[in-house]
Every structure is written in C-alpha cells, then in structure tokens.
C-alpha cells in the first residue's frame, strides 16, 4: 500500500477534539512528588520543544502527541484557542495574567539551554515574576546537562528538572542510561525528570564525526528510537520533549519509519503512561542473567512494571538492537499479595509469561526481548483487563502505523542492500535475512488488507528483526576489516545507513566476498 494511501487511512481513523475553547473550563494542573497531574489524572508529557506556529496543532493531535512548548512564540490567545480545540497542551514563557487561566496551558517554560550563574539568576527572576500571576502551574527550564555543578544552580528554583537527554552515539547505551541519566539524577537529587530528547541528528556528533546532514536526519532508526525512549523511562524519564519537530512529523522519505514507531509508542504510553507516572522506581530491584539486558522496575499498589531493553556495548550506537533472551529475577514485591501472574504488555495483545516463586523471589525464565519489552506482574485485581481492552481498541490503527513503518524501512534497507551488492559486498546470511524480510513484508500487507490486524502487526515486527539481522551481518563483516581499513572511516560503522560508505572507502577487490563466506 503506498505511503500516501496509508496516511489518508490513518487520518480517516483518527478522531480528535474539535470543541470550542470558550466552552472549556480551566485545566487543573499540579506538580507534586515530581509527578504531573492534569485534571486529577497523571500526565506523561509526549510532545515537542520549539514549536513553530506554521505547524498545525491538529496534526500534533493526529499523531498522538499531547503537548508542545511555545518557547517564546506563544502568548497569543488564538494559538491557545487552537490548541484547546485540538486537545494539545502548551508551555509558554510569555508571562501574562490570562495564560494560566486558559484550558490549554500546562507549564511555564522559562529558559532554553540554561547553564551557569547568569542563567540561574535570570531563571530566579522569571520564577518570581511568574508567581505574581500564577501560584500553581509548574516551572521548567531546559538544562544543558553537561555538568552537575551547573545544573545544581537551578534545581532549587524550578519544579521540573529537564536536562538535555541528547544521546551521544560515540558512547554506549549503558553509558547513556547509567553514567549519564542516573548520574545526573543522583547528582542533583531528583528521582524523575523530563528530557529534551533529540530525534534527528546530534550537533556535536555531526561536527566531530563527519557525517552528512542526511545521515544525521536518518538517525535514530526506529529501533533505536524505541530503545532510547523505553530505556529512558526505565531510568527516570517521565516526559519527552522531542526536538526537532521535523524529526518525527510529518512522515517524509527520511523519517517515516521513525514517525510510525513514535506513533506506536504514543499509543502504549497513553495506556500505561499514567501508571508509570504514579509508580515508584525501585533502583537495582531486578536482575537478569544476560549482560546484554538493561532493566528498570516500577512498583504500583497492584502491580510491578519491568522494562527490559537490549543493549550491546560493543556495538555502541551502531544500529537497531537485536533480540536477546534472559531469565529475569526479582524479590517478590512486598505490596503484592495472593497469586501473582506475569505477562508482556504491548501490541498486538497481552501475552502470558511463565513465572516461578521460590524463597521469596520471582523468576521469569527465558524471556525473549526484541529491542525492548514491558513486563507486568500483578495481583488478581491488577490492570490486565483494562490494558487488554485498550490494546484491542487501538490495534487497527497501530497495525496501519506498522504498515507505514515497514514501507519506509523497506525502502531504506533496499537502498543499502543494493549499494552493497554494487560494491560486490555479498554475504549469504545477509541476503537470506533480506529475502525473509521482504516476504514477511508482503505477508503483513496481505494480512492488513484482510483486516487481520494482529497478524499484520506481528509479521511486520518479524520483518524488522530480519532487516536488523541483515545489517548486523554486514556490520560484523565490516568490523573484521577494520585492521586494514583506510584511516578515518571507522565512524561509518556507527549507523546502519552509512555502511555502504565504509565499504566504498576500500578498493573493491579487497571487500569482494565469496558465496561460501
């Protein structure tokens, strides 16, 4: 199905608020215990930073984002009315008395790129001014997150701690989750935070590593995006302020697959994000017997949420992570009583897991994790039925998202595969994975046409696995040539779409492989 037809199908399926802003009451927004609530419900910020008025707010809602930062371009009643009609919340830095009374207003965004004593003084002055017109809505600044000493200047002044969470591809996933996110939280004394999360390109990485702007626009891949988001949730992130807006909206040739993955995650967070907000993180409260698995644990009154992500440090930020299998163990949560059950949360539906209880511990054996996996352990009165109803209701729309994802992803993989063959880089295993992915893509499309949405989703995910495996085969072969590689090309192994440029740097005869390789 052509991408344009898929977008028309999605637009026809999506319904969003169109009521008059004048008929809406002021939203009740509060921030307490490092958690945000809107009209009494926990609120997980899933939107953008640096909003441009030319972007239709209705489009943000269509793609299941819930908020955006006006960042100095707000303060106009017509924009707030548009946001309220579209069901989008706004953050603003324009201090006017009417703004906190408007139903679309969410929080005060007081400064971008905050760092140092001068900015800290400016933020204190702005907080004082804000509190002359509004005593309730939270304040927020976007901190650069480079040093704890700088960030500490702001944490006693602002409500929401929001450091940059721009991933650094030259480091590892484990570094990002533990040495960056956890280190920042510990250093400033905050348990939860929001992120200014870059979803298209890295300034410092781009400047120092020599990638083209097109390469950076194609980063992160869909799997990396999913891994980074869920991994960050496991490490205290309770709001995503994506940047730039063009990285995820609208889908174009470079970002359509990532846009679709972001849509799928938006649906998941709309279902389980409120529970994540209300839960309590338990640091080091769960273990796995596989070093490639990163884990997070969140406890609620009737359930425990475990987030497992596949991280392989040797690959750093090279490409989507592959599947790993692990046995997961945790002490029996003290707040849970009676018979406990475990299951996978996510599309297409809830899937039961075996779980064993022994000497006060719970063990879930042989859990297969594809990029990330959300696991729920619950009492009989837990949220399973509610989760399942929501997953089933959203599945047709989500299946359409996976078709869009697969369409764009296939185009990219087809390009990489063809370029490598043109360079006479031929690997039987990579060719087999590519062929399998192509067949699964066709089967997924047919299942979608037949309204078999569960199969369409599952087949699309399996196709993604084979595309990743194809890239890994090429990447591992490229690693074997590093000792004889021309100088200055090793960085091209950090992203999947630059693999052809790595091999092109050699004399073609040096990288030609035989079928038996």
């Amino acid at each position: 199905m052509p991408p344009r037809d898929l977008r028309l199908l999605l637009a026809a399926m999506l319904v969003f608020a169109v009521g008059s802003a004048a008929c809406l009451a002021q939203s009740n927004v509060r921030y307490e215990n490092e958690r945000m609530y809107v009209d009494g419900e926990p609120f997980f910020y899933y939107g953008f930073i640096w909003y441009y008025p030319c972007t239709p707010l209705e489009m943000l809602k269509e793609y299941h984002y819930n908020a955006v930062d006006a960042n100095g371009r707000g303060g106009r009643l017509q924009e707030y009315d548009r946001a309220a009609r579209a069901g989008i919340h706004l953050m603003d830095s324009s201090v006017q008395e009417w703004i906190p009374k408007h139903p679309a207003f969410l929080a005060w965004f007081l400064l971008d790129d905050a760092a140092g004593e001068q900015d800290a003084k400016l933020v204190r002055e702005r907080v004082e001014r804000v509190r002359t017109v509004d005593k309730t809505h939270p304040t927020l600044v976007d901190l650069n997150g480079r040093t704890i000493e700088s960030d500490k200047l702001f944490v006693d002044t602002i409500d929401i701690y929001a450091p940059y969470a721009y991933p650094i591809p030259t480091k590892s996933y484990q570094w990002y989750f533990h040495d960056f996110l956890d280190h920042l939280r510990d250093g400033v004394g905050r348990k939860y935070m929001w992120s200014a999360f870059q979803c298209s390109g890295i300034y410092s990485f781009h400047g120092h590593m020599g990638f083209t702007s097109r390469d950076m626009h194609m980063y992160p891949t869909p799997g990396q995006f999913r891994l980074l988001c869920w991994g960050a949730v496991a490490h205290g992130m309770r709001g995503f302020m994506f940047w730039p807006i063009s990285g995820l909206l609208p889908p174009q040739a470079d970002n359509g697959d990532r846009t679709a993955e972001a849509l799928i995650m938006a649906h998941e967070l709309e279902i389980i994000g409120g529970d994540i907000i209300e839960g309590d993180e338990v640091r080091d409260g769960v273990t796995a017997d596989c070093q490639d698995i990163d884990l997070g644990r969140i406890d609620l009154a009737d359930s425990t949420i475990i987030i497992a992500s596949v991280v392989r440090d040797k690959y750093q930020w090279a490409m989507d992570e592959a599947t790993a299998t692990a046995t997961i163990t945790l002490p029996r949560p003290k707040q849970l009583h009676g018979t406990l059950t475990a299951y996978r949360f996510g599309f297409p539906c809830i899937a039961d897991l075996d779980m064993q209880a022994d000497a006060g511990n719970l063990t879930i054996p042989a859990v297969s994790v594809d990029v990330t996996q959300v696991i729920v352990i619950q009492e009989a009165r837990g949220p399973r039925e509610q989760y399942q109803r929501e997953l089933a209701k959203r599945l047709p729309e989500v299946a359409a998202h996976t078709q869009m994802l697969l369409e764009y992803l296939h185009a990219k993989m087809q390009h990489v595969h063809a370029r490598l063959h043109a360079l006479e880089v031929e690997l039987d295993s990579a060719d087999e994975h590519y062929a399998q992915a192509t067949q699964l893509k066709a089967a997924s499309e047919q299942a979608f046409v037949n309204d078999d949405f569960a199969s369409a989703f599952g087949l699309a995910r399996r196709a993604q696995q084979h595309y990743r495996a194809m890239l890994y085969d090429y990447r591992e072969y490229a690693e074997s040539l590093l000792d004889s590689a021309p100088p200055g090309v090793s960085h091209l192994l950090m992203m999947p779409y630059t693999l052809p440029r790595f091999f092109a740097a050699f004399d073609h005869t040096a990288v030609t492989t035989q079928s038996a390789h």
Side-chain angles (χ1 to χ4, degrees), residues 46-93:
Y46 193 77
F48 293 97
I49 187 173
W50 284 88
Y51 157 68
Y52 294 89
C54 60
T55 302
L57 289 165
E58 295 78 10
M59 183 180 288
L60 298 184
K61 189 63 175 180
E62 178 184 339
Y63 284 84
H64 285 264
Y65 299 104
N66 59 21
V68 67
D69 154 48
N71 209 334
R73 286 173 287 275
R76 294 187 293 271
L77 179 60
Q78 61 268 32
E79 287 295 310
Y80 274 81
D81 286 348
R82 284 182 56 220
R85 287 192 296 269
I88 294 292
H89 294 279
L90 294 180
M91 297 193 296
D92 208 334
S93 61

Side-chain angles (χ1 to χ4, degrees), residues 171-175 292 311-317:
K171 302 285 186 177
S172 68
Y173 291 108
Q174 291 282 29
W175 174 90
D292 293 335
V311 292
R312 285 190 171 88
D313 283 0
K314 77 167 187 172
Y315 291 115
Q316 296 187 337
W317 297 80

